[in-house]
Amino acid sequence: DERELRAHFEETVAADRRVEPRDWMPEAYRATLVRQIAQHAHSEIIGMQPEGDWITRAPSLRRKAILWAKVQDEAGHGLYLYGAAETLGADRDDLTRRLLEGRQKYSSIFNYPAATFADVGVIGWLVDGAAICNQVPLCRSSYGPYARAMVRVCKEESFHQRQGYELLWTMARGTAAQREMVQDAVDRWWWPSLMMFGPPDAASPNSRRSMAWRIKRHSNDELRQRFVDMTVPQADRLGVTLPDPELRWNEERGHHDFGTPDFAELARVIGGDGPCNAERVARRTAAHEDGAWVREAAVAHAQRRARRTDD
Ligand code: ACO
């Protein structure tokens, strides 16, 4: 009966074992996972846009090959994640429709423009760095298919982060104009990167329950702090300044103190009113419509094969 099933579910989570697709789970647990995994998948797919714009304009064949591979990885991550959402009974067409109609979210970070080639480096270093910080703990998430998808995603994200840092390292040792481009990109991406971790804990409606279910293993503020601590020494090595006058090492806490991100801006960007929201969604919509014939052909092909095996 349901009481027994619920007890088994709670025991599984408490013992740090994984919940698998065929196991009984509370409806709210399922809904929370679909929400988070779908958003995550949408972020990977929309996230191809800011950097994808630079593939044709990369300054060398080497940079073009690296960037191309990286953007393709993001598509792959989106596909694993849609696959993980499908194990919960979600329908991929339905998730896509919800994204295009603005009923499901994607990460705020991808609503900012990638203005120069230095932005490609900074997206790798800071944005993928923040993504790793958030996603490494998700490898231990209580839902099996999500946790396992995260293992591969995180390995690829580490490569993305390294390529961004290496690009910036090269530019920082180039001309004065290149160094200025790097600093300008860092100035523009620093605060939005901190916002990726979500609202502060006191204003995060989902955190408490998601942490109790061990979907999330750390709170938004804990991960934000971890990211700042990890990034400051990397910025020093690179010779760039992080644009926060309040940033300093706090000996007593054993962490860096830092300023408060503009959470009103985060709310606006999540609400659809960021610098590139309209452009990102319009482009995703056009790509979906342009791809309709491929989906139709795939369905027709599958139906014909199924008929043939019926005979
Ligand atoms: N961008 C867009 N929406 C956000 C963001 C953000 N940076 N941060 C929080 N939100 C949304 C939440 O999704 C939630 O809305 P919802 O209830 O409609 O889903 C609302 O703001 C309140 O936030 P929380 O209660 O803190 O939500 P949650 O517990 O889900 O935590 C977080 C948000 C940390 C983003 C979590 O969902 C998560 O870890 N997701 C997986 C990682 C991910 O999606 N990364 C995508 C970007 S990285 C990349 O793709 C390279």
Side-chain angles (χ1 to χ4, degrees):
D1 70 348
E2 182 166 330
R3 258 218 334 261
E4 238 169 74
L5 291 168
R6 184 176 293 273
H8 178 73
F9 167 82
E10 270 157 22
E11 205 183 285
T12 304
V13 170
D16 255 337
R17 287 194 300 269
R18 303 280 90 93
V19 178
E20 296 298 338
R22 285 188 185 81
D23 294 344
W24 183 90
M25 59 187 86
E27 261 327 296
Y29 175 84
R30 184 187 300 276
T32 293
L33 277 167
V34 170
R35 174 184 66 78
Q36 176 165 330
I37 297 173
Q39 269 182 34
H40 195 164
H42 299 328
S43 305
E44 300 282 358
I45 299 294
I46 298 259
M48 294 165 76
Q49 292 186 36
E51 288 176 290
D53 281 340
W54 284 98
I55 292 175
T56 55
R57 293 179 285 165
S60 69
L61 183 59
R62 176 169 176 266
R63 293 292 171 198
K64 192 195 286 273
I66 293 171
L67 186 54
W68 204 325
K70 194 212 147 172
V71 171
Q72 283 188 46
D73 283 352
E74 309 291 358
H77 298 173
L79 298 185
Y80 303 147
L81 286 162
Y82 284 125
E86 282 173 329
T87 66
L88 291 156
D91 173 74
R92 189 148 131 209
D93 254 352
D94 177 55
L95 299 180
T96 304
R97 209 169 313 118
R98 283 170 196 260
L99 167 70
L100 300 182
E101 289 170 5
R103 289 186 290 136
Q104 268 177 357
K105 301 185 170 81
Y106 59 91
S107 181
S108 52
I109 195 72
F110 300 117
N111 293 305
Y112 293 86
T116 73
F117 199 69
D119 290 45
V120 170
V122 170
I123 291 172
W125 175 41
L126 295 181
V127 174
D128 297 328
I132 292 169
C133 222
N134 166 273
Q135 288 168 31
V136 164
L138 294 175
C139 297
R140 292 184 297 119
S141 181
S142 59
Y143 186 58
Y146 189 37
R148 288 188 290 273
M150 281 301 114
V151 174
R152 179 157 173 189
V153 167
C154 285
K155 285 194 176 143
E156 293 179 351
E157 292 290 355
S158 316
F159 154 72
H160 298 172
Q161 204 244 4
R162 287 299 188 96
Q163 70 81 34
Y165 197 75
E166 191 264 350
L167 194 165
L168 296 175
W169 187 262
T170 307
M171 285 186 87
R173 269 137 204 82
T175 63
Q178 285 175 314
R179 274 193 296 281
E180 257 168 53
M181 272 167 73
V182 171
Q183 183 62 55
D184 169 64
V186 169
D187 290 346
R188 285 180 290 105
W189 287 91
W190 174 248
W191 291 108
S193 299
L194 291 188
M195 292 175 203
M196 283 174 71
F197 295 93
D201 293 350
S204 162
N206 300 304
S207 279
R208 225 167 54 107
R209 203 166 57 166
S210 289
M211 285 171 70
W213 277 330
R214 303 198 181 177
I215 294 172
K216 281 168 78 161
R217 314 290 310 217
H218 306 281
S219 77
N220 299 357
D221 287 332
E222 280 166 17
L223 292 173
R224 199 169 0 250
Q225 176 76 62
R226 191 180 281 191
F227 174 68
V228 171
D229 289 340
M230 174 181 107
T231 307
V232 169
Q234 297 173 358
D236 287 344
R237 288 289 304 276
L238 208 51
V240 296
T241 309
L242 298 173
D244 178 358
E246 293 174 52
L247 186 64
R248 67 181 59 83
W249 177 250
N250 181 326
E251 189 66 50
E252 233 164 80
R253 290 202 308 122
H255 291 290
H256 292 87
D257 290 338
F258 58 101
T260 308
D262 182 351
F263 288 116
E265 175 180 323
L266 174 64
R268 275 198 310 277
V269 175
I270 294 177
D273 192 18
C276 301
N277 295 58
E279 180 188 330
R280 300 291 185 241
V281 174
R283 205 148 159 206
R284 182 71 196 88
T285 305
H288 187 66
E289 286 166 2
D290 287 348
W293 70 272
V294 179
R295 293 189 299 278
E296 281 159 22
V299 169
H301 178 68
Q303 283 169 347
R304 209 157 58 205
R305 281 184 67 149
R307 266 204 307 275
R308 231 177 267 153
T309 38
D310 282 350
D311 291 344

